[in-house]
Amino acid sequence: MVEVVHMIDSEVFLAFSTYATIVILKMMFMSLMTGYMRVSKQAFSNLEDTAMAKGEDKKKLVRIDPDVERVRRCHLNDLESIVPFVLIGLLYALTGPVLSTALLHFRVFVASRFIHTVAYTMALPQPTRGLAFGVGLLTTLSMAYRVLTTALFL
Amino acid sequence: MVEVVHMIDSEVFLAFSTYATIVILKMMFMSLMTGYMRVSKQAFSNLEDTAMAKGEDKKKLVRIDPDVERVRRCHLNDLESIVPFVLIGLLYALTGPVLSTALLHFRVFVASRFIHTVAYTMALPQPTRGLAFGVGLLTTLSMAYRVLTTALFL
Amino acid sequence: MVEVVHMIDSEVFLAFSTYATIVILKMMFMSLMTGYMRVSKQAFSNLEDTAMAKGEDKKKLVRIDPDVERVRRCHLNDLESIVPFVLIGLLYALTGPVLSTALLHFRVFVASRFIHTVAYTMALPQPTRGLAFGVGLLTTLSMAYRVLTTALFL
């Protein structure tokens, strides 16, 4: 992490900012998708959310729907995968990696998560989703390895 | 992101640090609230957690309580909303926005999340909670837009 | 946060990068542990995940297993605790704390989370897990206090 100060203005940091923002936006999109699914499947988690719904027995609309749960699991997997990528990626970007190597990490990770989302929400046959998850995990581990070998201070 | 190095010492970065810390503390408070609810409603998720509880049949205390679940959903929504705000907000603060604009984003977001928590835990009628969530989402999207238009490097 | 720019190259920032990466890796390990448990207990959350499993009635393998759920609760608690630590710790590292004080915070937090994971996954008697969680929470609160008293800009 020598001359980190110069790095924060670098193309690596700009690339990190771009890909991190894109993949966080993808994660936030899952909130909207959950909301859309809840309305279209009429399956809510709170009684007060059913006020706009049709029908008389609103309590029956507070229920668990398998398609809503699928979107929620996908969202939770995003939290478990994308947040570590952004946090470790920020530190990685400050270690001054070569631009082409950094771009490779960022692009592979972001692509893997878009594939993961499609595979999960459309229930594609395995191992599509498993591979997408694994590739994203390996990308993050590779960045973590560089952070630890560059910045190690215990 | 020109002259980002000077920005990290700026009032915008101090303001970001302040509001980000406040809203993360609010999120962490949900852990304590969950713990309090679990004890007061005697509804635990692990058998070993019931050791201090009264009564003979401790297995019956490993159960799901609707009020505990409400607090947990509020906490999860915090994770899905506040973590993206802090991550995108950090990059946004480094793009050198005008102080008044940045303060507006930070204040609106933090206020929206406090309102969201009150609306969720007290089960206020919709669309209170939905609006609070939506305002927070739009604030984060607005910051993401600036990051992408300022730093775009694909 | 005076002269923050010099701080980002400091030993405090290197130490933060090291401990943050270690504890994020620990959190990511929970994903692998969940996957391992799902296969070994034959309890999946999606029908497409059962393709590799033995037996004829695959629908019965889409089920909830208490040991899998335990690992998942531990993972979720990591998200709720470790992500705030890393976000607040980053801001804390930029306030220019004394190295020994910063190391104390980082080491205590990381140790508390490893103890928490062992206590949760092995279902150790309370208050082991509760204490580990509380110590980690207090460490993060202590860093948040320094960020707010150093950077306060409302």
Side-chain angles (χ1 to χ4, degrees):
Chain A
M1 286 209 177
V2 185
E3 297 193 62
V4 144
V5 172
H6 302 286
M7 284 304 147
I8 209 170
D9 250 332
S10 67
E11 291 180 323
V12 169
F13 200 80
L14 294 181
F16 168 72
S17 301
T18 304
Y19 286 99
T21 302
I22 289 170
V23 81
I24 294 172
L25 288 176
K26 192 226 76 60
M27 180 168 75
M28 293 169 69
F29 174 73
M30 302 310 292
S31 291
L32 299 178
M33 197 166 168
T34 302
Y36 173 79
M37 292 295 283
R38 285 202 183 283
V39 172
S40 71
K41 305 284 296 224
Q42 294 284 293
F44 301 93
S45 48
N46 302 287
L47 187 58
E48 69 265 27
D49 300 351
T50 63
M52 300 275 286
K54 292 170 190 169
E56 287 190 15
D57 196 355
K58 308 242 164 166
K59 281 195 178 177
K60 281 190 178 171
L61 300 181
V62 180
R63 59 188 184 86
I64 286 171
D65 175 87
D67 293 336
V68 173
E69 294 308 303
R70 179 175 280 277
V71 174
R72 294 188 65 229
R73 286 196 299 275
C74 182
H75 195 175
L76 190 58
N77 193 284
D78 271 0
L79 272 173
E80 295 167 0
S81 304
I82 291 175
V83 173
F85 163 80
V86 175
L87 295 174
I88 287 178
L90 175 69
L91 301 174
Y92 168 79
L94 296 176
T95 64
V98 176
L99 178 60
S100 58
T101 313
L103 279 172
L104 184 67
H105 281 84
F106 301 157
R107 285 168 181 165
V108 168
F109 181 84
V110 173
S112 79
R113 295 310 302 183
F114 275 93
I115 294 169
H116 181 272
T117 302
V118 173
Y120 215 147
T121 52
M122 300 186 68
L124 299 187
Q126 288 281 28
T128 315
R129 194 186 91 229
L131 280 178
F133 175 80
V135 168
L137 189 76
L138 287 177
T139 315
T140 308
L141 290 180
S142 168
M143 296 193 305
Y145 177 77
R146 181 174 163 92
V147 172
L148 287 182
T149 50
T150 315
L152 195 67
F153 190 101
L154 287 167
Chain B
M1 284 209 180
V2 185
E3 298 193 61
V4 143
V5 171
H6 301 286
M7 284 303 148
I8 209 170
D9 249 332
S10 67
E11 291 180 324
V12 168
F13 200 80
L14 294 180
F16 168 71
S17 301
T18 303
Y19 286 99
T21 302
I22 289 171
V23 81
I24 294 171
L25 289 175
K26 191 225 78 60
M27 180 168 76
M28 293 170 70
F29 174 74
M30 302 310 290
S31 291
L32 299 178
M33 198 166 166
T34 303
Y36 173 79
M37 291 296 282
R38 285 203 183 283
V39 171
S40 71
K41 304 285 297 228
Q42 294 283 294
F44 301 93
S45 48
N46 303 286
L47 188 58
E48 70 264 28
D49 301 350
T50 62
M52 298 277 286
K54 291 170 189 169
E56 287 189 15
D57 196 353
K58 308 244 164 165
K59 281 194 178 178
K60 282 189 178 172
L61 301 181
V62 181
R63 60 188 184 85
I64 287 170
D65 176 86
D67 293 336
V68 173
E69 294 308 303
R70 179 175 282 276
V71 174
R72 294 188 64 230
R73 286 196 300 274
C74 182
H75 195 174
L76 191 59
N77 193 284
D78 270 0
L79 272 173
E80 295 166 1
S81 304
I82 291 175
V83 173
F85 164 80
V86 175
L87 295 174
I88 287 179
L90 176 69
L91 301 172
Y92 169 79
L94 296 176
T95 63
V98 177
L99 178 60
S100 59
T101 313
L103 279 172
L104 185 67
H105 281 84
F106 301 158
R107 285 170 182 164
V108 167
F109 180 84
V110 173
S112 79
R113 294 310 302 183
F114 275 92
I115 294 169
H116 181 273
T117 302
V118 172
Y120 215 147
T121 53
M122 299 186 68
L124 298 187
Q126 288 280 28
T128 315
R129 195 186 89 229
L131 281 178
F133 176 80
V135 168
L137 189 76
L138 287 176
T139 314
T140 307
L141 291 180
S142 169
M143 296 194 305
Y145 177 77
R146 182 173 163 93
V147 171
L148 287 182
T149 50
T150 314
L152 195 67
F153 190 102
L154 286 167
Chain C
M1 284 208 180
V2 184
E3 298 193 61
V4 144
V5 172
H6 302 286
M7 284 305 148
I8 210 170
D9 249 333
S10 68
E11 291 180 323
V12 168
F13 200 81
L14 295 179
F16 168 71
S17 300
T18 304
Y19 286 100
T21 302
I22 289 171
V23 81
I24 294 171
L25 289 175
K26 191 224 79 60
M27 181 168 74
M28 294 170 69
F29 174 74
M30 302 310 291
S31 291
L32 300 178
M33 197 165 166
T34 302
Y36 172 79
M37 291 295 283
R38 284 202 183 283
V39 172
S40 71
K41 304 284 297 228
Q42 293 285 293
F44 301 93
S45 48
N46 303 287
L47 187 58
E48 69 265 28
D49 301 350
T50 63
M52 299 275 286
K54 292 170 190 170
E56 288 190 13
D57 195 354
K58 308 243 166 167
K59 281 195 179 178
K60 281 190 179 172
L61 300 181
V62 181
R63 60 188 183 86
I64 287 170
D65 176 87
D67 293 337
V68 173
E69 294 307 303
R70 179 174 282 276
V71 174
R72 294 187 64 230
R73 285 197 298 276
C74 182
H75 195 174
L76 190 57
N77 192 285
D78 270 1
L79 272 174
E80 295 167 0
S81 304
I82 291 175
V83 173
F85 164 81
V86 175
L87 295 175
I88 287 179
L90 175 69
L91 301 173
Y92 169 80
L94 295 175
T95 64
V98 176
L99 177 61
S100 59
T101 312
L103 279 172
L104 185 66
H105 281 85
F106 301 157
R107 286 169 182 164
V108 167
F109 181 84
V110 173
S112 79
R113 295 311 301 184
F114 274 93
I115 294 170
H116 182 271
T117 302
V118 172
Y120 215 147
T121 53
M122 299 187 68
L124 298 187
Q126 289 280 30
T128 314
R129 195 186 92 228
L131 280 178
F133 175 80
V135 167
L137 188 75
L138 287 177
T139 314
T140 307
L141 290 181
S142 168
M143 296 194 305
Y145 176 77
R146 181 175 163 91
V147 172
L148 287 182
T149 51
T150 313
L152 194 68
F153 190 100
L154 286 168

